Amino acid sequence: MKRLCAIALAALLSSCGDGAETPPATGFATLPQEPYRTLAEWRLFRDPVAQTPADHVLPYTVNAPLFSDFTAKFRFVAIPPGRHITYRPDGAWVLPEGAVLVKTFAYPRDARNLALGYQLLETRILVRTRDGFAPHTYVWNAAQTEAVRQVAAPPVNVSWIDEAGATRTNEYIIPNTNQCLTCHGQRGLTDALAMRTDQLDRAGPDGVNQLDAMAARGWFDGALPPAAMRSHFPDVRDEGAPVEARARAYLHANCGHCHNPRDRSMASVTGLNLEVSETRPSNLGVCRRPAMAGSGSGGLDYDLVPGHPERSVMLFRMRTSDPRARMPTVGTNFNDPFGADLVERWILGLTGDTCGTP
Ligand code: HEC
Ligand code: HEC
């Protein structure tokens, strides 16, 4: 069955290469040799400006999002017909060639009233190729009518009204296409980051469990374990969930793509591993002496001192405005107050070795 579909797809691809008159409704048969100039040409959206996806594209959210200067994000995934995701109960899924992942960054005009709409900034796309994912960025124009592909785009001056009613401004950074590797390139080639059970096993924008919705579309290579058997992150903002699990999920999503043991990861040399699978206290920073002394660590002695956020370099680096010390190192102009508060509560609740008295 799988094989038949693959052949059908191949036939579709070749007939399309001969200049078929009406392009098919889905983007797959027209996957370009050269990336499309505009986002609309991908046919991923029924209405790109409203971010309304086409039928073959599924919108999704994640349990632990990456903080990106208070932007809202709209995420989408599409799997070519007849191809399948290799499911993993933990760790990253394997996506089939031709899979398309999409993330749009936007500011709400007024965070107190989302019905007023969004200013769209950029739409990032990752297309699964034979080896890794090919990255593309489409930058929205000021008139908000069209997004055009750009490899290196200048920052965008934006303003929005935040949840407290204050007018905020930002010189929003659009990473260039080479910089995707900084976070997505842990193995030297571009990988997807949140295509995993712990991030996606949750209700989607329409209230339906996202894994079940993907399974209903026939996207997996086999039957899924039933919902009760799947382990996932809590929603990091769910006050009803344990602080420890929320903080570990937050650190995984916001720090783990650099802080993991894989060779090509930006912070592998530090030995500080903030991925959710790490259990050894010293690798999580407990009583670990940071490589950078002095102002880089706020004059503090250890990455993490259980029960003592005020003595923990980890929290200092999440709150400082000193660009030489601030964590994460790339992608943002602002610190994330939500994340720092969550990590503070986690450290406060930890017991055990207090690394000697100060
Ligand atoms: C600062 C680190 C960072 C950089 C730089 C970065 N990303 Fe990501 N990206 C992430 C993280 C973490 C996620 C998963 C969490 C989320 O979606 O909030 C993600 C998710 C995505 C997704 C959704 C699919 C997935 O991987 O889970 C796409 C598409 C994407 N990024 C495209 C890009 C492209 C294209 C670039 C370069 C122009 C880029 N990203 C640069 C950190 C980064
Ligand atoms: C884009 C990659 C990247 C991201 C994301 C990132 N870091 Fe780092 N981090 C580094 C690098 C590189 C170093 C080593 C150089 C230095 O100390 O500045 C480092 C060092 C550290 C250190 C000192 C470790 C030691 O023992 O020397 C701490 C603590 C730290 N980061 C915490 C965090 C936290 C917490 C987050 C998430 C909120 C985070 N980092 C996200 C790249 C990153």
Side-chain angles (χ1 to χ4, degrees):
M1 177 64 193
K2 238 183 202 173
R3 205 187 161 86
L4 258 182
C5 293
I7 293 168
L9 184 77
L12 206 57
L13 281 165
S14 64
S15 75
C16 160
D18 305 340
E21 288 207 356
T22 14
T26 71
F28 298 112
T30 56
L31 265 192
Q33 295 298 311
E34 285 294 312
Y36 295 119
R37 194 185 69 86
T38 65
L39 180 63
E41 285 167 88
W42 284 89
R43 296 175 170 269
L44 293 161
F45 295 96
R46 182 171 301 159
D47 179 351
V49 177
Q51 293 284 291
T52 311
D55 287 342
H56 69 293
V57 178
L58 191 73
Y60 72 90
T61 56
V62 294
N63 284 316
L66 174 73
F67 170 78
S68 309
D69 282 355
F70 306 103
T71 51
K73 298 184 189 177
F74 306 108
R75 301 176 183 79
F76 307 90
V77 50
I79 304 296
R83 300 207 181 160
H84 298 93
I85 299 170
T86 307
Y87 182 80
R88 298 262 166 84
D90 43 31
W93 299 342
V94 181
L95 268 63
E97 245 179 83
V100 182
L101 305 170
V102 185
K103 185 154 86 153
T104 296
F105 293 68
Y107 278 108
R109 294 190 196 290
D110 186 337
R112 298 165 308 173
N113 179 9
L114 297 180
L116 293 175
Y118 294 85
Q119 176 176 356
L120 303 174
L121 302 164
E122 55 163 333
T123 296
R124 298 184 195 169
I125 291 185
L126 291 173
V127 189
R128 181 74 163 84
T129 60
R130 199 155 306 156
D131 29 41
F133 286 83
H136 306 291
T137 298
Y138 290 81
V139 180
W140 285 88
N141 62 4
Q144 300 278 286
T145 53
E146 182 179 64
V148 175
R149 183 171 177 271
Q150 259 177 277
V151 171
V156 188
N157 284 305
V158 275
S159 75
W160 77 101
I161 298 171
D162 72 12
E163 273 144 14
T167 299
R168 308 284 300 265
T169 59
N170 190 18
E171 200 170 72
Y172 174 82
I173 307 162
I174 298 179
N176 72 46
T177 305
N178 296 322
Q179 286 169 326
C180 312
L181 273 175
T182 319
C183 304
H184 286 266
Q186 305 167 17
R187 296 185 303 133
L189 41 87
T190 310
D191 268 326
L193 288 172
M195 290 294 119
R196 31 190 299 149
T197 305
D198 45 21
Q199 279 283 30
L200 299 180
D201 190 22
R202 57 176 279 128
D206 59 359
V208 176
N209 179 285
Q210 299 179 151
L211 264 57
D212 293 336
M214 292 179 181
R217 287 177 181 238
W219 282 2
F220 290 110
D221 59 352
L224 285 188
M229 305 287 291
R230 304 196 291 248
S231 73
H232 55 233
F233 292 151
D235 185 312
V236 289
R237 293 196 178 256
D238 177 3
E239 285 294 331
V243 166
E244 163 128 54
R246 292 166 63 205
R248 289 296 307 272
Y250 179 90
L251 292 170
H252 177 96
N254 284 274
C255 322
H257 46 273
C258 291
H259 286 281
N260 64 62
R262 288 180 287 287
D263 275 359
R264 303 290 190 96
S265 303
M266 281 243 317
S268 58
V269 289
T270 65
L272 179 67
N273 181 7
L274 297 177
E275 285 194 321
V276 71
S277 51
E278 181 60 69
T279 53
R280 288 158 293 183
S282 66
N283 287 8
L284 284 166
V286 173
C287 303
R288 180 184 202 84
R289 289 194 180 273
M292 251 166 82
S295 65
S297 52
L300 303 172
D301 293 328
Y302 303 104
D303 286 339
L304 199 170
V305 183
H308 293 277
E310 79 290 353
R311 290 172 56 201
S312 300
V313 173
M314 185 180 288
L315 191 63
F316 164 78
R317 296 189 71 160
M318 290 177 76
R319 286 205 172 127
T320 180
S321 55
D322 179 350
R324 287 165 306 172
R326 202 162 74 87
M327 285 291 145
T329 52
V330 296
T332 53
N333 292 317
F334 297 112
N335 297 337
D336 181 8
F338 165 82
D341 290 353
L342 182 59
V343 168
E344 176 169 29
R345 283 167 66 192
W346 172 56
I347 297 178
L348 207 50
L350 290 174
T351 52
D353 194 349
T354 54
C355 321
T357 30

